[in-house]
Amino acid sequence: MSIWLYAAVYYILPIALLIRLWKGDLKSRLLGALEIGLTFSFFAYLFVVIPWHVYSHYIRFLWVLLLLPVLFIAIKRLKPLPLKQPKGERSGMFSNLLSFAVMIFFTFMAVSGLTGYSPSNDEAIELAFPLKDGVYATGQGGGTSIINYHNEHKPQQYAIDILELNGAGLRAKGLTPSELEAFEIYNASLYSPCSGEVIQAVDQYEDIPPLESPEKVEDARGNHVTLRCQSADVILAHMKPGSVQVTEGQTVKTGDLLGLVGNTGNTTEPHLHIHAERDGAGLPITFDDRFLKRNSLVFQ
């Protein structure tokens, strides 16, 4: 799906559904309830499943504020209507069936996303948040693949992709910037999230241009640091070339500078990838006992 088609989903479709629910012709309480269910399920999908760092996280909350009064008005409009559509009037039957199917789809997607809001087991590793002085958003994160594509790969099933937001709630200046420096998180200082030993410290790859998937990547992690903490390996990836400040075998403490965020490895734009694994299986990560999922915000 192109970035402009996404924009239509983020803005045009929500407005159309709100206007339809507010001003549309409701012929019965059952059909009105269907309209309410369709709108609510889509907005739940929009809030839970769709990533918002490209189109402003703050619009995500605006839609909720607009939805609530429209739902209230729609429910009031249902009261004087007959329970069912008058007999013999079959106009719109196909569109009603289609609306019902779409409502079921969006409900399923939203519920599937919500099931990933907590880890499937209690064996989480507690870390300190590795970035400072900013507002950060989770692009990929959570316990199901619908909100975290890493979940399909066992060693990275709870991996998190973190971006920084500017004052407008966007991860960069513009939708498709061509300069790495346009991304808010690029060149951000990266700090050790735990105390432990440096198992790997790789600093040999160059940044790639943003929004361009590399054809062949020698190491998907790019420049990265792997720490042995709490009997687990914690990997911080996609670091800026020439910025790694630690060496293999070095002991680090929580808060020590590791390097800078870059755009190396298998990545399409600057962000921090972090995951923890033990015996080949990914571990849930918590920051201050908080499990981050898609669209989670962290204020530092």
Side-chain angles (χ1 to χ4, degrees), residues 189-217:
S189 296
L190 181 58
Y191 301 92
S192 177
C194 55
S195 297
E197 181 185 355
V198 178
I199 302 301
Q200 283 184 311
V202 176
D203 192 348
Q204 66 185 58
Y205 302 106
E206 295 299 317
D207 280 328
I208 60 174
L211 306 178
E212 293 185 13
S213 298
E215 295 182 1
K216 184 178 180 181
V217 178

Side-chain angles (χ1 to χ4, degrees), residues 23-38:
K23 294 289 189 179
D25 182 19
L26 303 179
K27 296 182 179 180
S28 71
R29 276 177 279 169
L30 284 178
L31 293 180
L34 176 60
E35 291 292 332
I36 291 173
L38 172 61

Side-chain angles (χ1 to χ4, degrees), residues 114-121 142-143 158 291 293:
L114 287 171
T115 60
Y117 269 39
S118 59
S120 59
N121 60 67
Y158 293 107
F291 180 70
K293 51 275 182 188

Side-chain angles (χ1 to χ4, degrees), residues 159-227:
I160 304 170
D161 287 345
I162 299 173
L163 307 105
E164 187 173 1
L165 303 181
N166 59 25
L170 302 167
R171 96 297 192 206
K173 298 175 182 176
L175 295 180
T176 58
S178 58
E179 300 294 330
L180 290 171
E181 291 76 10
F183 290 84
E184 200 72 15
I185 199 170
Y186 184 74
N187 212 39
S189 296
L190 181 58
Y191 301 92
S192 177
C194 55
S195 297
E197 181 185 355
V198 178
I199 302 301
Q200 283 184 311
V202 176
D203 192 348
Q204 66 185 58
Y205 302 106
E206 295 299 317
D207 280 328
I208 60 174
L211 306 178
E212 293 185 13
S213 298
E215 295 182 1
K216 184 178 180 181
V217 178
E218 182 178 342
D219 190 330
R221 298 166 296 182
N223 299 326
H224 66 278
V225 171
T226 301
L227 306 174

Side-chain angles (χ1 to χ4, degrees), residues 5 12 15 23 26-28 43 49 104 130 136 144 148 150 159 176 238 241 259 273 278 292:
L5 185 55
I12 297 174
I15 291 173
K23 294 289 189 179
L26 303 179
K27 296 182 179 180
S28 71
F43 274 76
V49 177
I104 295 299
Y136 299 93
T144 57
N148 186 3
H150 299 107
T176 58
H238 310 317
H273 169 103
R278 181 184 295 139
L292 300 183

